[in-house]
Amino acid sequence: MFGAEFEPIDVVVDGVRIHAVRGGDGPPVLLLHGFPQSHVMWHRIAPVLAREHTVVAADLRGYGDSDRPDAGADHAGYAFRAMAADQVGLMAALGFDRFTVIGHDRGARVTHRMALDHPDRVERLALLDILPTAYVYANVDRTFATAYYHWFFLIQPADLPERLIAGDPRYFLYRSLGSWGSGLDAHAPEALREYERVFDDPAARTAMIEDYRAGASIDLEHDAASTTAGHRIAAPCLVLWGERGVVGRHRHGPLDVWRPLATEPELVTGSVITGAGHFLAEENHADTLAALQAFLRT
């Protein structure tokens, strides 16, 4: 889907194999996907960025063709901290000690954690269509809870969500990809087939569910510790959100939420992507790409 200039790569980081594709030449850019997707979500973005950058589009642990390690009793195996360390290790193995990270959805949460845990590695970061995890749980209202019902469904103890989703996995996949202000037709057929292939695997579904369980438990502990320690985003940060998505409709604007979390609030910039819901890189890839290119060239 990315073209012949991209090559598949697999790197083992602390015993976990991370799958990715790499293409282009120039300053390194890491692309991280969200739920329930994989690196293929970037197929409209990555080839263009690769004209000026070395682009690495990776699968988070548990997603796509990356390994699915055990979560552990405290779900730490799928904490954003563990996922961020995977990606830092991947980039280091490829020879990149400092790089830009662009994340969407769960990948954006990994990107946020990476900026806190590995500030020396993150040159700049872009966060697509999210508000901070801790902020969301502290400010849930009816609108958010209704739209993001899956947050509260997937955090239920095993094996409730696993068994219910197993009744009709494709329905749950399609309902997720066609929600949050986006339609299922936002996704290219070949990308949809990849998401279907992975989601058909019960182990993959459990790994994705564990991601959410970690988000409501150990990730919040990590966030609280970072806040207490005074850790903030130190790199320039771009925040983008879809016009029809939930993030932009929240009572507090995305930039108003993210800027206090940076050491230099003026370095947090961003805008709405019109004509798009949550899956803005697919629905309006032209404007999303233009915003990312302008940020990378600044």
Side-chain angles (χ1 to χ4, degrees), residues 6 40 44 169 207 211 237 242 270 283:
F6 278 81
V40 302
R44 291 186 174 115
D211 171 14
C237 178
E283 281 193 287

Side-chain angles (χ1 to χ4, degrees), residues 35 81 85 105 111 125 132 134 148 175 207 209 213-214 223 227 238 291:
F35 171 87
R81 173 162 287 165
D105 188 76
T111 299
L125 64 155
Y148 281 9
R175 186 63 179 262
I209 292 167
R213 289 179 178 134
D223 286 343
T227 298
L238 177 69

Side-chain angles (χ1 to χ4, degrees), residues 133-202:
T133 307
Y135 175 88
V136 170
Y137 276 116
N139 292 273
V140 173
D141 58 18
R142 185 178 66 177
T143 298
F144 186 93
T146 301
Y148 281 9
Y149 78 94
H150 65 295
W151 276 45
F152 308 98
F153 169 54
L154 297 177
I155 67 176
Q156 299 305 311
D159 59 350
L160 176 63
E162 286 91 339
R163 287 178 67 91
L164 294 179
I165 293 171
D168 195 343
R170 290 283 180 94
Y171 175 82
F172 189 81
L173 175 68
Y174 297 160
R175 186 63 179 262
S176 298
L177 291 169
S179 297
W180 314 312
S182 300
L184 188 61
D185 60 357
H187 309 279
E190 57 269 39
L192 188 58
R193 286 194 294 270
E194 273 297 296
Y195 305 148
E196 292 169 348
R197 177 183 66 83
V198 175
F199 208 76
D200 283 346
D201 179 2

Side-chain angles (χ1 to χ4, degrees), residues 4-16:
E5 68 272 23
F6 278 81
E7 60 173 343
I9 52 178
D10 290 275
V11 172
V12 177
V13 181
D14 292 333
V16 177

